[in-house]
Amino acid sequence: MASVLGLFGDLDAAVRAVDALKAARFAAREIAVLSSIPLPPDALGLPHTRTHDQVRASVVMGAVGTLAGFLLAAGTAWLYPLPTGGKAIVSMPTSGVIMYEMTMLGAIWTAFFLALYHIGRQSRGKVPYDDRIAAGKIGVTVTAPAERVEAAEAAMAGALEVRRWD
C-alpha cells in the first residue's frame, strides 16, 4: 500500500480532486482531507466518518477508573474501619467522589496519551503530511495499492504538488 498526498491552494480545487478520485473508483474510506481549519466532510463530498478508537479507549479506561476508585475508597474503609456510631463504614457520598475523580483521571489520561501517540505517528512519517497544511493549504491523501498510485496522481492534476508516500 502506498499513499499519495496532493497539496491544494483552495477548497474548490480540493473538491474537484476528491470528485476525480471518486470518479476513478477510489473508495471514500481510501480518501482523507487534511486541513488546518475544520471542514465538514459533506462539503467535500465525503461521508462523515469518525475514528472511535480514542472514544472507546477513554470510556473503557473511565470504567476501569471507576472500579479502581471504588476499590480504593471501599478497600481503605474495610481495611481501616473507623466505627462511627452505627453509620455505614463505607459511605456512598465519599466513595462516589473518589470514584468520579478516578473515572475522570483514567479517561483524561487515556485521551492525552492516545493524542500523543497519534501525533507521534504523524511525526514519524507514517501518515502523509506537509507543513504547508498548517499554513492554510489543503491536503488530499489517498491510500491505494501500488498499481493504482498512478491513477491517484492523475486524479490530482490540479494540485500545487503531488507527493508519493511509500
Side-chain angles (χ1 to χ4, degrees):
M1 290 292 242
S3 295
V4 177
L5 170 67
L7 197 62
F8 297 91
D10 62 346
L11 183 61
D12 293 333
V15 169
R16 284 192 298 274
V18 169
D19 291 340
L21 287 167
K22 288 194 298 187
R25 296 187 176 256
F26 284 97
R29 62 179 161 69
E30 296 174 323
I31 304 169
V33 177
L34 306 171
S35 174
S36 60
I37 58 171
L39 297 171
D42 53 350
L44 297 156
L46 295 173
H48 182 70
T49 58
R50 182 175 176 181
T51 57
H52 293 284
D53 61 338
Q54 194 162 5
V55 174
R56 281 189 206 122
S58 293
V59 168
V60 167
M61 288 308 293
V64 169
T66 303
L67 180 63
F70 176 76
L71 292 176
L72 179 66
T76 302
W78 282 325
L79 287 174
Y80 307 104
L82 297 172
T84 53
K87 294 182 184 172
I89 292 176
V90 179
S91 67
M92 200 53 211
T94 306
S95 298
V97 169
I98 294 172
M99 288 168 52
Y100 170 77
E101 293 296 333
M102 293 295 286
T103 300
M104 290 291 106
L105 189 68
I108 291 169
W109 276 106
T110 301
F112 175 73
F113 284 117
L114 277 175
L116 285 180
Y117 168 75
H118 287 298
I119 291 169
R121 255 184 69 207
Q122 194 172 37
S123 68
R124 284 191 298 270
K126 293 183 179 179
V127 177
Y129 188 75
D130 191 314
D131 291 334
R132 292 174 284 181
I133 293 171
K137 303 294 184 215
I138 299 172
V140 176
T141 63
V142 179
T143 304
E147 61 270 5
R148 298 211 51 212
V149 169
E150 288 80 19
E153 290 174 343
M156 294 188 199
L160 301 172
E161 182 181 339
V162 177
R163 202 176 332 157
R164 184 183 291 193
W165 292 68
D166 291 324

